[in-house]
Amino acid sequence: MHPLVLFFGLITIAQAAQLTGREQVPIVSQDAEVNYDGSYRTSYETGNGIAAQEQGRLKNSGNKDAEAEEVQGSFQYTAPDGSPILLQYIADENGFQPSGSHLPVGPTPPPIPEAILRSLEWNAAHPEQDDSSGKF
């Protein structure tokens, strides 16, 4: 490559970094592995504390009715308010299932009313009297 083209290329990259107003963050570590069976692992960590890792595999390979991709991973970073964020996840035939202490938790369901609770307990104690014919 001609030295002048290389020089102008580097100047363009430096100017683009300045225009975005963002500092360039180095990659501290990076690893990737892809296997013949379709399984994989990947991870990286940046100089500003962002880290991520993920691995995946095909479950029930060869059984078209039961094949499912299973992915597990996590990532972490520091939120703008300074709090550490760690999100772990699984994605499989049951969908995406994230977990992390920073995620909102839904409201606690109300307690089962006493009369319904007694009815459920009575039904469990007397299964022989269950009318499963569907007639009332």
Side-chain angles (χ1 to χ4, degrees), residues 13 17 34 78 106 124:
I13 291 171
V34 179
T78 302

Side-chain angles (χ1 to χ4, degrees), residues 24-86:
Q24 292 186 357
V25 178
I27 302 295
V28 175
S29 67
Q30 183 175 7
D31 189 32
E33 173 187 327
V34 179
N35 301 306
Y36 289 106
D37 64 357
S39 63
Y40 69 93
R41 288 183 188 280
T42 183
S43 64
Y44 68 87
E45 183 177 352
T46 65
N48 62 355
I50 297 172
Q53 65 86 25
E54 182 177 283
Q55 58 271 343
R57 69 182 183 96
L58 181 63
K59 292 175 18 180
N60 303 313
S61 179
N63 183 348
K64 294 296 180 192
D65 294 331
E67 276 186 347
E69 186 73 26
E70 179 180 68
V71 176
Q72 297 179 342
S74 66
F75 59 86
Q76 62 186 34
Y77 62 94
T78 302
D81 68 0
S83 60
I85 301 295
L86 171 61

